[in-house]
Amino acid sequence: MSSPAARFDRGHTDDLMTFLAASPSQYHAVANAAERLEKAGFRQLAETDAWDASTGGKFVLRGGAIIAWYVPEGAAAHTPFRIVGAHTDSPNLRVKPLPDTGTQGWRQIAVEIYGGTLLNTWLDRDLGLAGRLTLHDGTERLVNIDRALMRVPQLAVHLDRSVNSDGLKLDKQRHMQPIWGLGDVQEGDLIAFLEDEEGLDRGSVAGWDLMVHSIEPPAYLGRDRELLAGPRMDNLLSVHAGVAALAAASAAENLNYIPVLAAFDHEENGSQSDTGADGPLLGNVLERSVFSRGGSYEDRARAFAGAICLSSDTGHAVHPNYAERHDPSHHPRANGGPILKVNVNQRYATDGSGRAVFVNACERAGVPWQTFVSNNSMPCGTTIGPITAARHGIQTVDIGVAILSMHSARELCGADDPYLLANTMLAFLVS
Protein backbone atom coordinates (compact mmCIF):
# COMPACT_ATOMS: atom_id res chain seq x y z
CA MET A 1 0.00 0.00 0.00
CA SER A 2 1.11 3.59 -0.47
CA SER A 3 1.65 5.92 2.46
CA PRO A 4 0.13 9.36 2.88
CA ALA A 5 2.62 12.01 1.70
CA ALA A 6 3.74 14.76 4.07
CA ARG A 7 1.62 13.58 6.97
CA PHE A 8 3.84 15.42 9.46
CA ASP A 9 4.71 19.11 9.13
CA ARG A 10 6.38 21.86 11.17
CA GLY A 11 3.99 21.07 14.01
CA HIS A 12 5.98 17.85 14.42
CA THR A 13 9.08 19.93 15.10
CA ASP A 14 7.19 22.02 17.66
CA ASP A 15 6.21 18.79 19.37
CA LEU A 16 9.80 17.53 19.23
CA MET A 17 10.87 20.60 21.20
CA THR A 18 8.32 19.73 23.88
CA PHE A 19 9.54 16.12 23.92
CA LEU A 20 13.21 17.13 24.27
CA ALA A 21 12.49 19.53 27.11
CA ALA A 22 10.43 16.91 28.96
CA SER A 23 13.05 14.16 28.51
CA PRO A 24 16.23 15.11 30.40
CA SER A 25 17.11 11.43 30.84
CA GLN A 26 16.46 8.22 28.93
CA TYR A 27 14.03 7.17 31.67
CA HIS A 28 11.94 10.27 31.09
CA ALA A 29 12.15 9.72 27.33
CA VAL A 30 10.66 6.22 27.46
CA ALA A 31 8.01 7.34 29.95
CA ASN A 32 6.99 10.14 27.59
CA ALA A 33 7.06 7.78 24.60
CA ALA A 34 4.84 5.32 26.48
CA GLU A 35 2.37 8.07 27.37
CA ARG A 36 2.07 9.11 23.73
CA LEU A 37 1.57 5.51 22.60
CA GLU A 38 -1.08 4.93 25.25
CA LYS A 39 -3.00 7.92 23.87
CA ALA A 40 -2.83 6.18 20.48
CA GLY A 41 -4.41 3.05 21.97
CA PHE A 42 -1.30 1.02 22.83
CA ARG A 43 -1.12 -0.88 26.12
CA GLN A 44 1.82 -1.90 28.24
CA LEU A 45 2.72 -5.57 28.69
CA ALA A 46 4.75 -6.92 31.60
CA GLU A 47 7.58 -9.22 30.61
CA THR A 48 6.75 -11.45 33.58
CA ASP A 49 3.14 -12.03 32.40
CA ALA A 50 1.91 -14.50 29.81
CA TRP A 51 1.13 -12.79 26.50
CA ASP A 52 -2.00 -13.56 24.52
CA ALA A 53 -2.84 -13.51 20.83
CA SER A 54 -4.74 -10.23 20.92
CA THR A 55 -4.26 -7.67 18.18
CA GLY A 56 -3.57 -3.95 18.55
CA GLY A 57 -0.77 -1.81 19.90
CA LYS A 58 1.49 -3.07 22.69
CA PHE A 59 4.75 -2.00 24.33
CA VAL A 60 7.30 -3.19 26.85
CA LEU A 61 9.36 -0.90 29.10
CA ARG A 62 12.64 -1.91 30.65
CA GLY A 63 14.81 0.76 32.24
CA GLY A 64 15.70 3.30 29.57
CA ALA A 65 14.42 1.16 26.67
CA ILE A 66 11.04 0.70 25.03
CA ILE A 67 9.91 -1.85 22.43
CA ALA A 68 6.48 -1.14 20.90
CA TRP A 69 4.60 -2.91 18.12
CA TYR A 70 1.21 -3.08 16.47
CA VAL A 71 -0.46 -6.38 15.49
CA PRO A 72 -3.10 -5.77 12.78
CA GLU A 73 -6.25 -7.84 12.51
CA GLY A 74 -5.67 -11.10 10.69
CA ALA A 75 -1.88 -11.00 11.02
CA ALA A 76 -0.40 -14.48 10.58
CA ALA A 77 2.21 -15.75 13.02
CA HIS A 78 4.88 -15.50 10.30
CA THR A 79 4.02 -11.89 9.33
CA PRO A 80 7.35 -10.04 8.92
CA PHE A 81 8.34 -7.06 11.06
CA ARG A 82 9.13 -3.53 9.91
CA ILE A 83 11.32 -2.06 12.63
CA VAL A 84 12.41 1.51 13.37
CA GLY A 85 15.42 1.41 15.68
CA ALA A 86 16.89 4.24 17.76
CA HIS A 87 18.56 4.91 21.10
CA THR A 88 17.45 6.91 24.12
CA ASP A 89 20.76 7.79 25.81
CA SER A 90 22.98 10.82 25.18
CA PRO A 91 26.55 11.70 26.24
CA ASN A 92 26.56 13.65 29.49
CA LEU A 93 27.79 13.75 33.09
CA ARG A 94 26.50 10.98 35.39
CA VAL A 95 26.45 11.16 39.19
CA LYS A 96 28.84 8.79 40.96
CA PRO A 97 27.84 6.35 43.75
CA LEU A 98 29.39 8.67 46.38
CA PRO A 99 28.25 12.00 44.97
CA ASP A 100 29.14 14.46 47.72
CA THR A 101 32.52 16.06 47.24
CA GLY A 102 34.18 19.47 47.24
CA THR A 103 37.20 21.50 48.23
CA GLN A 104 38.26 25.01 49.20
CA GLY A 105 34.84 25.80 50.66
CA TRP A 106 32.95 24.77 47.49
CA ARG A 107 30.38 21.96 47.62
CA GLN A 108 30.52 19.85 44.47
CA ILE A 109 28.93 16.77 42.94
CA ALA A 110 31.14 13.91 41.81
CA VAL A 111 30.34 12.92 38.22
CA GLU A 112 31.53 10.31 35.75
CA ILE A 113 31.78 11.02 32.02
CA TYR A 114 29.24 9.04 30.00
CA GLY A 115 29.90 8.37 26.33
CA GLY A 116 31.91 10.54 23.95
CA THR A 117 30.98 13.83 25.57
CA LEU A 118 32.27 17.14 24.21
CA LEU A 119 33.50 18.27 27.62
CA ASN A 120 33.86 21.97 26.87
CA THR A 121 30.16 22.27 26.00
CA TRP A 122 29.25 21.60 29.64
CA LEU A 123 31.29 24.53 30.95
CA ASP A 124 29.59 27.65 32.32
CA ARG A 125 26.06 26.38 31.70
CA ASP A 126 23.23 26.42 34.20
CA LEU A 127 22.62 22.75 34.90
CA GLY A 128 19.80 20.69 36.35
CA LEU A 129 19.72 17.09 37.55
CA ALA A 130 17.46 14.27 36.38
CA GLY A 131 17.10 10.51 36.31
CA ARG A 132 15.53 7.86 38.50
CA LEU A 133 15.60 7.00 42.18
CA THR A 134 15.12 3.43 43.39
CA LEU A 135 13.56 3.07 46.83
CA HIS A 136 14.23 0.34 49.38
CA ASP A 137 10.94 -1.34 48.47
CA GLY A 138 12.08 -1.66 44.83
CA THR A 139 9.81 1.02 43.40
CA GLU A 140 11.25 3.66 41.11
CA ARG A 141 10.65 7.39 41.01
CA LEU A 142 11.56 9.72 38.16
CA VAL A 143 13.16 12.96 39.31
CA ASN A 144 13.80 16.17 37.38
CA ILE A 145 15.34 19.24 39.01
CA ASP A 146 14.88 21.52 36.03
CA ARG A 147 16.35 24.69 37.44
CA ALA A 148 19.80 26.21 37.86
CA LEU A 149 21.19 23.80 40.44
CA MET A 150 24.84 23.46 39.46
CA ARG A 151 27.57 24.66 37.15
CA VAL A 152 30.99 23.53 35.87
CA PRO A 153 33.03 26.76 36.00
CA GLN A 154 35.79 27.35 33.48
CA LEU A 155 39.15 28.74 34.60
CA ALA A 156 39.47 32.46 33.90
CA VAL A 157 41.70 33.43 31.00
CA HIS A 158 43.89 35.42 33.43
CA LEU A 159 44.89 32.12 35.05
CA ASP A 160 45.37 30.26 31.75
CA ARG A 161 46.91 32.75 29.32
CA SER A 162 47.60 30.06 26.69
CA VAL A 163 44.02 28.80 26.39
CA ASN A 164 43.29 30.71 23.18
CA SER A 165 46.61 29.86 21.52
CA ASP A 166 47.25 26.28 22.68
CA GLY A 167 43.67 25.15 23.13
CA LEU A 168 41.56 24.21 26.12
CA LYS A 169 42.78 21.10 27.93
CA LEU A 170 40.33 19.48 30.34
CA ASP A 171 41.06 16.63 32.72
CA LYS A 172 37.93 14.49 33.09
CA GLN A 173 38.55 13.86 36.77
CA ARG A 174 39.81 17.23 38.01
CA HIS A 175 38.01 19.77 35.86
CA MET A 176 34.46 18.47 35.32
CA GLN A 177 32.99 18.29 38.85
CA PRO A 178 30.06 20.75 39.08
CA ILE A 179 29.69 23.12 42.02
CA TRP A 180 26.31 23.38 43.71
CA GLY A 181 26.93 25.47 46.79
CA LEU A 182 29.22 26.69 49.52
CA GLY A 183 30.26 25.15 52.80
CA ASP A 184 31.54 21.88 54.19
CA VAL A 185 30.94 18.61 52.36
CA GLN A 186 28.28 16.49 54.04
CA GLU A 187 27.99 12.82 53.10
CA GLY A 188 24.49 11.98 51.89
CA ASP A 189 23.63 15.63 51.24
CA LEU A 190 22.65 15.29 47.56
CA ILE A 191 20.36 12.31 48.03
CA ALA A 192 18.76 13.90 51.09
CA PHE A 193 18.11 17.00 48.97
CA LEU A 194 16.42 14.89 46.29
CA GLU A 195 14.34 13.05 48.87
CA ASP A 196 13.11 16.38 50.17
CA GLU A 197 12.38 17.61 46.63
CA GLU A 198 10.32 14.49 45.92
CA GLY A 199 8.52 14.45 49.26
CA LEU A 200 10.18 11.17 50.27
CA ASP A 201 11.20 10.13 53.75
CA ARG A 202 14.85 10.61 54.53
CA GLY A 203 16.77 7.38 53.95
CA SER A 204 14.14 5.89 51.62
CA VAL A 205 16.36 6.01 48.52
CA ALA A 206 18.52 2.92 48.04
CA GLY A 207 19.91 3.54 44.54
CA TRP A 208 20.03 6.15 41.81
CA ASP A 209 20.79 6.71 38.14
CA LEU A 210 21.23 10.47 37.87
CA MET A 211 22.62 12.75 35.21
CA VAL A 212 23.26 16.43 34.56
CA HIS A 213 21.36 18.36 31.90
CA SER A 214 21.37 21.90 30.54
CA ILE A 215 18.20 23.73 31.54
CA GLU A 216 18.20 25.94 28.41
CA PRO A 217 15.10 24.95 26.41
CA PRO A 218 15.11 24.03 22.70
CA ALA A 219 14.70 26.98 20.36
CA TYR A 220 14.31 27.88 16.71
CA LEU A 221 17.38 29.67 15.39
CA GLY A 222 18.25 31.78 12.37
CA ARG A 223 16.85 34.72 10.50
CA ASP A 224 13.95 32.65 9.18
CA ARG A 225 13.83 30.22 12.11
CA GLU A 226 14.95 27.48 9.75
CA LEU A 227 17.23 25.81 12.32
CA LEU A 228 16.57 24.03 15.60
CA ALA A 229 18.95 24.12 18.58
CA GLY A 230 18.43 21.81 21.50
CA PRO A 231 19.77 19.10 23.78
CA ARG A 232 19.83 15.32 23.25
CA MET A 233 18.84 15.39 19.58
CA ASP A 234 21.33 12.53 19.35
CA ASN A 235 19.17 10.54 19.49
CA LEU A 236 15.81 11.60 20.94
CA LEU A 237 15.05 13.21 17.58
CA SER A 238 14.83 9.70 16.12
CA VAL A 239 12.94 8.30 19.12
CA HIS A 240 10.32 11.03 18.84
CA ALA A 241 9.95 10.49 15.07
CA GLY A 242 9.65 6.74 15.61
CA VAL A 243 6.90 7.15 18.21
CA ALA A 244 4.95 9.47 15.92
CA ALA A 245 5.38 7.18 12.92
CA LEU A 246 4.34 4.05 14.84
CA ALA A 247 1.25 5.75 16.27
CA ALA A 248 0.25 6.91 12.79
CA ALA A 249 0.97 3.48 11.28
CA SER A 250 -1.37 1.86 13.79
CA ALA A 251 -4.24 3.79 12.19
CA ALA A 252 -3.40 2.63 8.66
CA GLU A 253 -5.43 -0.02 6.85
CA ASN A 254 -4.28 -3.24 5.19
CA LEU A 255 -0.89 -3.43 6.86
CA ASN A 256 1.33 -6.10 5.32
CA TYR A 257 3.86 -6.01 8.16
CA ILE A 258 3.93 -5.67 11.93
CA PRO A 259 5.35 -2.17 12.58
CA VAL A 260 7.80 -1.97 15.50
CA LEU A 261 9.67 0.74 17.40
CA ALA A 262 12.82 -0.38 19.23
CA ALA A 263 14.46 2.39 21.28
CA PHE A 264 17.48 1.14 23.24
CA ASP A 265 19.65 2.48 26.04
CA HIS A 266 23.49 2.46 26.24
CA GLU A 267 24.26 3.03 22.55
CA GLU A 268 26.77 5.71 23.47
CA ASN A 269 28.96 3.20 25.32
CA GLY A 270 28.66 0.07 23.21
CA SER A 271 25.06 -1.22 23.63
CA GLN A 272 26.14 -4.14 25.82
CA SER A 273 23.47 -4.28 28.50
CA ASP A 274 20.06 -5.83 29.11
CA THR A 275 18.50 -2.67 27.66
CA GLY A 276 21.04 -2.17 24.86
CA ALA A 277 20.83 -3.23 21.23
CA ASP A 278 23.44 -5.93 21.88
CA GLY A 279 21.21 -7.49 24.55
CA PRO A 280 18.34 -9.94 24.07
CA LEU A 281 15.43 -7.54 24.57
CA LEU A 282 14.34 -6.99 20.96
CA GLY A 283 14.74 -10.63 19.98
CA ASN A 284 12.79 -11.80 23.02
CA VAL A 285 9.91 -9.42 22.34
CA LEU A 286 9.66 -10.30 18.64
CA GLU A 287 9.82 -14.03 19.36
CA ARG A 288 7.17 -13.80 22.05
CA SER A 289 4.94 -11.87 19.66
CA VAL A 290 5.22 -14.72 17.17
CA PHE A 291 4.72 -17.49 19.72
CA SER A 292 1.83 -15.77 21.52
CA ARG A 293 -0.06 -15.81 18.22
CA GLY A 294 0.35 -19.57 17.98
CA GLY A 295 3.48 -19.49 15.85
CA SER A 296 6.15 -22.17 15.62
CA TYR A 297 9.91 -21.84 15.34
CA GLU A 298 9.41 -22.02 11.59
CA ASP A 299 7.05 -19.03 11.80
CA ARG A 300 9.63 -17.19 13.89
CA ALA A 301 12.31 -17.86 11.26
CA ARG A 302 10.03 -16.66 8.46
CA ALA A 303 9.06 -13.47 10.35
CA PHE A 304 12.72 -12.60 11.03
CA ALA A 305 13.85 -13.47 7.50
CA GLY A 306 11.28 -11.08 6.04
CA ALA A 307 11.99 -8.32 8.56
CA ILE A 308 13.74 -5.03 7.80
CA CYS A 309 15.06 -2.46 10.29
CA LEU A 310 15.66 1.24 9.72
CA SER A 311 18.32 2.14 12.29
CA SER A 312 17.85 5.87 12.78
CA ASP A 313 20.55 7.97 14.42
CA THR A 314 21.88 11.45 13.85
CA GLY A 315 24.73 11.97 11.37
CA HIS A 316 27.08 14.76 10.44
CA ALA A 317 25.94 17.73 8.37
CA VAL A 318 28.76 19.39 6.46
CA HIS A 319 30.39 21.91 8.80
CA PRO A 320 31.00 25.32 7.20
CA ASN A 321 34.16 25.91 9.23
CA TYR A 322 35.60 22.41 8.80
CA ALA A 323 34.43 21.28 5.35
CA GLU A 324 37.78 19.53 4.76
CA ARG A 325 36.89 16.99 7.48
CA HIS A 326 34.06 15.63 5.31
CA ASP A 327 34.14 13.47 2.21
CA PRO A 328 34.63 15.82 -0.77
CA SER A 329 31.58 14.56 -2.66
CA HIS A 330 29.20 13.81 0.22
CA HIS A 331 28.06 16.99 1.97
CA PRO A 332 24.73 16.46 3.78
CA ARG A 333 22.97 19.76 4.41
CA ALA A 334 20.45 20.91 6.97
CA ASN A 335 16.86 20.67 5.72
CA GLY A 336 18.03 18.46 2.86
CA GLY A 337 16.05 15.51 4.14
CA PRO A 338 17.11 12.33 5.95
CA ILE A 339 20.51 10.83 5.22
CA LEU A 340 21.44 7.32 4.16
CA LYS A 341 24.55 6.33 6.13
CA VAL A 342 27.05 4.08 4.34
CA ASN A 343 30.31 2.46 5.45
CA VAL A 344 31.70 -0.56 3.60
CA ASN A 345 33.51 -1.69 6.77
CA GLN A 346 30.15 -2.24 8.42
CA ARG A 347 30.26 0.61 10.89
CA TYR A 348 26.87 1.18 9.28
CA ALA A 349 24.75 -1.76 8.11
CA THR A 350 23.53 -0.27 4.81
CA ASP A 351 24.08 -2.16 1.56
CA GLY A 352 22.69 -1.72 -1.95
CA SER A 353 19.41 -3.51 -1.28
CA GLY A 354 18.96 -1.50 1.92
CA ARG A 355 19.53 1.66 -0.08
CA ALA A 356 16.61 0.66 -2.30
CA VAL A 357 14.36 0.18 0.74
CA PHE A 358 15.21 3.66 2.02
CA VAL A 359 14.87 5.37 -1.38
CA ASN A 360 11.49 3.76 -1.97
CA ALA A 361 10.25 4.96 1.44
CA CYS A 362 11.42 8.51 0.72
CA GLU A 363 9.78 8.50 -2.70
CA ARG A 364 6.47 7.23 -1.30
CA ALA A 365 6.57 9.95 1.35
CA GLY A 366 7.56 12.67 -1.12
CA VAL A 367 10.68 13.40 0.93
CA PRO A 368 14.14 14.44 -0.37
CA TRP A 369 17.13 12.44 0.86
CA GLN A 370 20.92 12.59 1.05
CA THR A 371 23.89 10.25 1.52
CA PHE A 372 26.58 10.34 4.19
CA VAL A 373 29.95 8.57 4.01
CA SER A 374 33.04 9.42 6.06
CA ASN A 375 36.21 10.96 4.72
CA ASN A 376 38.66 8.06 4.24
CA SER A 377 41.14 9.84 6.50
CA MET A 378 38.66 10.10 9.38
CA PRO A 379 37.39 7.26 11.58
CA CYS A 380 33.71 6.45 11.20
CA GLY A 381 31.30 6.22 14.11
CA THR A 382 28.78 3.43 14.43
CA THR A 383 25.19 2.80 15.53
CA ILE A 384 22.82 0.08 16.67
CA GLY A 385 22.46 -0.90 13.00
CA PRO A 386 25.31 -3.42 12.61
CA ILE A 387 24.53 -4.83 16.07
CA THR A 388 20.87 -5.40 15.19
CA ALA A 389 21.77 -6.99 11.86
CA ALA A 390 24.37 -9.32 13.36
CA ARG A 391 22.47 -10.29 16.50
CA HIS A 392 19.08 -11.01 14.92
CA GLY A 393 19.91 -11.72 11.28
CA ILE A 394 17.62 -8.87 10.22
CA GLN A 395 18.32 -6.75 7.16
CA THR A 396 19.20 -3.29 8.51
CA VAL A 397 19.60 0.12 6.90
CA ASP A 398 21.30 3.03 8.71
CA ILE A 399 19.66 6.42 8.27
CA GLY A 400 19.16 9.62 10.28
CA VAL A 401 19.15 13.40 10.31
CA ALA A 402 22.22 15.52 9.61
CA ILE A 403 23.19 17.74 12.54
CA LEU A 404 26.04 19.94 13.75
CA SER A 405 27.69 19.80 17.21
CA MET A 406 27.01 16.09 17.71
CA HIS A 407 27.66 15.02 21.34
CA SER A 408 27.51 18.62 22.50
CA ALA A 409 25.29 19.62 25.40
CA ARG A 410 23.35 21.50 22.71
CA GLU A 411 23.10 20.35 19.10
CA LEU A 412 21.82 21.92 15.87
CA CYS A 413 19.73 20.63 12.95
CA GLY A 414 17.45 21.90 10.21
CA ALA A 415 13.96 22.59 11.54
CA ASP A 416 12.32 20.71 8.64
CA ASP A 417 14.40 17.53 8.91
CA PRO A 418 12.64 16.01 11.95
CA TYR A 419 9.27 15.83 10.19
CA LEU A 420 10.86 14.71 6.93
CA LEU A 421 12.40 11.82 8.88
CA ALA A 422 9.07 10.97 10.52
CA ASN A 423 7.32 10.92 7.12
CA THR A 424 9.99 8.55 5.80
CA MET A 425 9.56 6.25 8.80
CA LEU A 426 5.81 6.20 8.34
CA ALA A 427 6.10 5.33 4.66
CA PHE A 428 8.50 2.51 5.57
CA LEU A 429 6.25 1.09 8.28
CA VAL A 430 3.04 1.00 6.23
CA SER A 431 4.46 -0.01 2.84
Side-chain angles (χ1 to χ4, degrees):
M1 63 177 295
S2 61
S3 67
R7 175 154 192 161
F8 303 110
D9 54 22
R10 183 61 77 90
H12 175 90
T13 306
D14 294 338
D15 189 62
L16 170 62
M17 296 168 70
T18 300
F19 185 80
L20 292 173
S23 304
S25 77
Q26 65 270 44
Y27 311 111
H28 290 81
V30 298
N32 290 325
E35 181 180 2
R36 288 161 182 256
L37 290 172
E38 286 178 335
K39 289 180 179 178
F42 286 65
R43 61 187 177 91
Q44 183 175 356
L45 299 183
E47 292 184 80
T48 53
D49 290 346
W51 294 1
D52 59 33
S54 61
T55 58
K58 309 173 185 183
F59 65 89
V60 166
L61 295 179
R62 184 192 290 186
I66 181 170
I67 311 293
W69 66 104
Y70 181 81
V71 181
E73 292 286 344
H78 61 266
T79 301
F81 300 99
R82 281 287 174 106
I83 306 163
V84 168
H87 68 88
T88 61
D89 59 319
S90 301
N92 56 18
L93 312 180
R94 304 285 178 98
V95 176
K96 288 184 174 181
L98 300 176
D100 300 293
T101 188
T103 185
Q104 308 301 321
W106 294 98
R107 294 160 63 201
Q108 295 174 276
I109 295 174
V111 296
E112 190 173 5
I113 310 303
Y114 179 82
T117 308
L118 278 174
L119 299 179
N120 64 293
T121 67
W122 291 91
L123 302 179
D124 297 331
R125 288 184 183 272
D126 295 337
L127 303 173
L129 190 66
R132 67 177 179 181
L133 304 173
T134 303
L135 309 186
H136 280 283
D137 63 5
T139 59
E140 296 177 353
R141 178 78 68 92
L142 294 184
V143 60
N144 181 14
I145 311 300
D146 197 31
R147 64 175 187 270
L149 181 67
M150 63 190 80
R151 188 179 181 92
V152 183
Q154 187 170 189
L155 185 64
V157 68
H158 313 80
L159 304 178
D160 186 5
R161 295 288 185 178
S162 64
V163 65
N164 289 325
S165 57
D166 297 341
L168 178 64
K169 297 178 176 62
L170 295 170
D171 183 279
K172 293 180 180 179
Q173 180 63 38
R174 292 185 295 125
H175 300 151
M176 297 305 298
Q177 310 307 310
I179 61 172
W180 76 307
L182 300 172
D184 297 331
V185 177
Q186 300 290 330
E187 184 177 351
D189 203 15
L190 176 64
I191 301 306
F193 163 75
L194 293 175
E195 288 170 336
D196 291 343
E197 288 284 312
E198 291 298 302
L200 299 170
D201 294 335
R202 288 288 182 95
S204 60
V205 172
W208 52 87
D209 301 279
L210 299 167
M211 57 209 70
V212 171
H213 68 276
S214 172
I215 64 170
E216 186 180 5
Y220 286 113
L221 184 147
R223 185 192 66 179
D224 299 318
R225 294 163 54 89
E226 69 267 45
L227 299 171
L228 175 66
R232 299 175 295 280
M233 285 196 280
D234 179 13
N235 187 32
L236 293 188
L237 187 158
S238 295
V239 174
H240 175 261
V243 170
L246 179 60
S250 70
E253 298 179 353
N254 303 318
L255 288 173
N256 297 316
Y257 304 92
I258 294 177
V260 180
L261 169 67
F264 301 101
D265 198 357
H266 300 128
E267 190 274 345
E268 297 293 356
N269 60 7
S271 294
Q272 292 184 323
S273 71
D274 70 317
T275 53
D278 204 19
L281 182 58
L282 176 61
N284 287 348
V285 169
L286 298 185
E287 286 182 346
R288 291 185 68 179
S289 175
V290 171
F291 297 150
S292 67
R293 286 178 282 122
S296 63
Y297 183 82
E298 183 72 10
D299 292 315
R300 180 263 186 215
R302 293 174 67 186
F304 276 54
I308 307 175
C309 175
L310 284 189
S311 165
S312 181
D313 204 346
T314 54
H316 302 293
V318 61
H319 198 300
N321 299 335
Y322 302 91
E324 74 281 359
R325 302 294 182 97
H326 299 263
D327 182 83
S329 56
H330 295 79
H331 281 180
R333 299 177 182 273
N335 288 334
I339 55 174
L340 179 72
K341 302 163 77 171
V342 179
N343 180 266
V344 295
N345 294 302
Q346 289 299 292
R347 301 294 284 174
Y348 303 132
T350 305
D351 62 10
S353 61
R355 182 183 190 274
V357 170
F358 171 73
V359 171
N360 287 336
C362 289
E363 290 179 348
R364 285 193 297 274
V367 166
W369 60 277
Q370 313 175 80
T371 304
F372 171 83
V373 65
S374 290
N375 186 308
N376 285 328
S377 299
M378 305 291 293
C380 181
T382 191
T383 68
I384 65 166
I387 295 171
T388 302
R391 182 170 184 86
H392 306 293
I394 291 175
Q395 181 185 12
T396 303
V397 189
D398 273 297
I399 68 165
V401 162
I403 70 170
L404 293 181
S405 306
M406 188 185 295
H407 288 196
S408 169
R410 194 167 179 85
E411 297 159 326
L412 183 71
C413 76
D416 296 341
D417 283 328
Y419 69 80
L420 296 177
L421 175 67
N423 284 321
T424 302
M425 289 179 174
L426 176 58
F428 166 75
L429 290 176
V430 303
S431 62

